[in-house]
Amino acid sequence: MNPEITELDKKIMKRLQDSIPSSLRPYKEIADDAGVGEDEVIRRINLYKEKKWIRRFGATLRHQKAGFKFNGMGVWKVPNPDDRQRLGEEMAAFHEVSHCYERPSYEDWPYNLFTMIHGESQRECEEVARRISEKTGLKEYTMLYSSREFKKSSMKYFP
Amino acid sequence: MELDNTDRSILNVIQTGFPVDPHPYAVIGQQVGLTEEEAFNRVMNMKNGGVIRRIGASYDSRGLHFSSTLCSMKVPPEKMDAAVKAINKYYEVTHNYERNHAYNLWFTLIAESKERIQQILDEISAETGINGIRNMPAVKKFKIKVDFKFKEKQENEDEE
């Protein structure tokens, strides 16, 4: 945890984590509960945004389930560390790829680039992987699919 | 719930950024041509009607200096239920999936330090009797997509 975050900050940030109070003066309510002035709460929230502790402050909608139905984790073996930056960027350029990370590899796990690939079906995901393979020249890869979802939740940074 | 154009204007405003002001609903009202009361009532209706899931902050794990990682482990079928239970009880575990590989259980962890992550992994090993959990924190992030077209949650897009 960032050492700049004080106990008062934690109190305030915990209140912003779920939903702000349903009140005409939500910041006054938070301030009253925390035992500080409303202006102090407002000053701090602006500070959190400035320091990029808060990525976005606003309404989250319940989205209609639009978009891709299927996803797979494509993992790629890139033996030469010098190639990873360039190939990682090439993979990231595919709009079907939502995440592209480099991670450590091991003896029984040779893959070091990870891509989350999205499509309408497993077949479409395989097709995207094939195109990535063609574009990057990487032949050693595999696709992992989830057979069961055991947990999917939002992180509570301030429990 | 039916939305009119004014509702949609309000959503545009408060999705981008909810005003940080002593009278946030007066600020919203000013932008869409409503009184403070009217803006407040419309937002509350959309919240109660299920259009708005929440109004609040999305934190940046890096800004807060939290550590995150992706872990995998080899779980024999007869131990799967117990392993899932041992893993899911941590609020720091945000995703947990079974996947088609010898490493058949994959979960993401976000915690306030690397030490806390190691502690959790040690506890999971001890409780399940399964050693060799792979801890694979990102070395480099080339893309973290924030896009509603992907059916994932809007929140925590930066989770491993």
Side-chain angles (χ1 to χ4, degrees), chain A residues 7-143:
Chain A
E7 287 308 310
L8 174 59
D9 292 324
K10 285 182 195 170
K11 260 190 212 168
I12 296 171
M13 292 171 96
K14 185 174 161 64
R15 294 297 299 273
L16 308 177
Q17 174 170 258
D18 300 317
S19 217
I20 58 171
S22 293
S23 151
L24 274 171
R25 305 282 298 274
Y27 307 114
K28 181 163 187 315
E29 251 182 62
I30 294 171
D32 289 348
D33 291 347
V36 294
E38 185 184 28
D39 53 344
E40 178 68 10
V41 167
I42 286 174
R43 190 183 68 77
R44 285 186 187 248
I45 295 175
N46 284 320
L47 188 76
Y48 306 155
K49 295 200 320 193
E50 226 170 84
K51 288 184 176 288
K52 302 259 195 297
W53 296 353
I54 289 180
R55 185 157 41 80
R56 196 175 72 87
F57 185 69
T60 303
L61 307 190
R62 236 178 276 274
H63 273 291
Q64 53 283 27
K65 304 273 185 187
F68 297 122
K69 291 187 183 71
F70 214 85
N71 69 74
M73 188 168 77
V75 292
W76 308 79
K77 179 179 171 180
V78 188
N80 186 348
D82 294 340
D83 293 337
R84 287 177 199 156
Q85 177 73 31
R86 177 176 55 85
L87 297 176
E89 285 170 10
E90 278 184 21
M91 292 180 189
F94 281 75
H95 77 266
E96 297 92 341
V97 170
S98 64
H99 299 69
C100 180
Y101 295 175
E102 180 188 343
R103 297 183 187 279
S105 55
Y106 299 87
E107 223 166 84
D108 66 341
W109 181 264
Y111 310 106
N112 28 43
L113 289 185
F114 287 60
T115 50
M116 282 310 299
I117 298 175
H118 300 255
E120 288 300 316
S121 63
Q122 179 164 340
R123 213 167 134 189
E124 254 188 52
C125 293
E126 303 279 346
E127 175 58 25
V128 174
R130 202 189 52 73
R131 277 167 36 222
I132 293 176
S133 168
E134 240 168 50
K135 169 86 178 140
T136 57
L138 295 173
K139 295 281 178 275
E140 285 189 68
Y141 70 94
T142 191
M143 290 290 286

Side-chain angles (χ1 to χ4, degrees), chain B residues 12-136:
Chain B
N12 270 335
V13 171
I14 65 176
Q15 266 187 287
T16 319
F18 190 86
V20 184
D21 182 281
H23 291 273
Y25 295 96
V27 176
I28 297 164
Q30 241 165 32
Q31 295 188 48
V32 301
L34 296 174
T35 66
E36 179 181 19
E37 288 277 320
E38 287 168 340
F40 177 71
N41 289 337
R42 278 180 182 260
V43 170
M44 287 306 118
N45 280 339
M46 288 192 279
K47 216 174 150 192
N48 297 331
V51 174
I52 297 172
R53 190 156 64 82
R54 67 180 198 100
I55 299 169
S58 301
Y59 293 111
D60 186 314
S61 61
R62 286 149 297 178
L64 300 181
H65 295 192
F66 274 58
S67 298
S68 57
T69 189
L70 173 67
C71 301
S72 64
M73 63 197 284
K74 290 179 179 170
V75 183
E78 71 274 11
K79 282 193 172 180
M80 188 53 93
D81 289 350
V84 168
K85 216 173 140 198
I87 293 166
N88 283 5
K89 72 177 181 201
Y90 295 96
Y91 74 87
E92 290 103 329
V93 170
T94 54
H95 296 68
N96 187 9
Y97 297 102
E98 180 182 57
R99 293 192 184 274
N100 57 315
H101 191 272
Y103 281 97
N104 56 346
L105 195 59
W106 292 72
F107 57 96
T108 55
L109 258 173
I110 302 180
E112 63 171 75
S113 66
K114 287 190 172 66
E115 292 71 26
R116 174 64 186 154
I117 285 181
Q118 195 51 55
Q119 183 189 15
I120 291 172
L121 296 182
D122 291 345
E123 288 174 9
I124 292 172
S125 280
E127 191 169 336
T128 59
I130 299 170
N131 293 315
I133 302 176
R134 277 287 146 77
N135 180 7
M136 297 182 282

